[in-house]
Amino acid sequence: MKNLEVLVRAFDLVRKKQANVFLTIVGSPTPGKADEGRYYERILNLVRELKLEDNVAFSRSVPHSETPRVYNEHDLFVNLTVTGSFDKTTLEAMACGAPVLVSNRSFREIFSSSLQSISIFEESNPISLAGKISDIISLSLVHRKELGRQMRSLVIEKHGLSRLADKIIQIL
């Protein structure tokens, strides 16, 4: 599962302190996968239960070609993938210059210590995530953009095409 309940609960904590925040959840249940449909309904019900309907939007899945637009339309990207798996969407968001928050401890190998303290929250902990969201949205636009630039530089340096080419050459 996507751990979206952690995000919704964290967002609820943030919204209680700052009413003018908005959350967009992008993605749709896979047709024919009943468990995903039930999970999606649970998240919708949680949003209703917490009375977040005016602040949470659900967007259908978007084609890969449109993801840069989605990343650039938002101030922050949150990924709740657990440690032990890796979701490339975080790197895609970083490549677009979006500040990211992750619970996946694998990012300790990617982020500098200063980025770790800003961007890694405790897995399955809405309070930890809410604190990180609050920290980032309280930054000035200039500082948020600079954070995004640092993340973009990092992903280009460590995961860019030239880096991939070097790895392929070493393998061959």
Side-chain angles (χ1 to χ4, degrees):
M1 293 297 168
K2 300 279 185 183
N3 295 316
L4 292 174
E5 61 282 343
V6 174
L7 177 60
V8 171
R9 290 189 185 286
F11 179 76
D12 182 49
L13 295 171
V14 172
R15 188 195 48 92
K16 286 176 179 173
K17 294 179 183 174
Q18 187 172 350
N20 64 337
V21 294
F22 300 91
L23 170 65
T24 304
I25 297 174
V26 179
S28 309
T30 305
K33 291 205 172 186
D35 57 331
E36 287 185 22
R38 286 189 297 272
Y39 182 71
Y40 185 77
E41 285 300 318
R42 279 201 332 259
I43 299 305
L44 287 171
N45 288 333
L46 180 59
V47 167
R48 286 186 206 109
E49 174 188 320
L50 297 173
K51 300 184 182 356
L52 296 172
E53 300 98 316
D54 292 339
N55 297 77
V56 177
F58 288 85
S59 173
R60 295 213 166 272
S61 298
V62 296
H64 190 265
S65 62
E66 292 182 33
T67 57
R69 175 190 54 78
V70 173
Y71 298 136
N72 289 315
E73 288 176 348
H74 295 85
D75 294 322
L76 168 61
F77 175 83
V78 178
N79 187 289
L80 297 116
T81 301
V82 296
T83 301
S85 66
F86 196 82
D87 186 344
K88 68 181 178 356
T89 60
T90 302
L91 297 178
E92 292 170 354
M94 290 170 62
C96 290
V100 302
L101 294 177
V102 297
S103 59
N104 189 328
R105 291 184 305 276
S106 299
F107 276 84
R108 288 186 177 149
E109 297 173 21
I110 297 171
F111 291 155
S112 65
S113 59
S114 63
L115 285 180
Q116 287 177 33
S117 66
I118 293 168
S119 296
I120 299 177
F121 61 93
E122 187 179 322
E123 222 170 80
S124 302
N125 185 330
I127 295 169
S128 174
L129 176 55
K132 298 293 183 177
I133 292 171
S134 294
D135 290 348
I136 289 187
I137 63 175
S138 70
L139 294 173
S140 69
L141 180 60
V142 169
H143 284 103
R144 236 183 0 258
K145 294 262 187 218
E146 177 54 30
L147 179 58
R149 276 192 287 277
Q150 288 176 27
M151 291 191 169
R152 177 174 166 71
S153 294
L154 183 66
V155 80
I156 288 170
E157 173 191 323
K158 293 190 176 193
H159 298 280
L161 188 56
S162 62
R163 180 85 166 150
L164 176 62
D166 290 343
K167 287 180 182 178
I168 291 171
I169 289 169
Q170 287 176 352
I171 291 170
L172 297 176

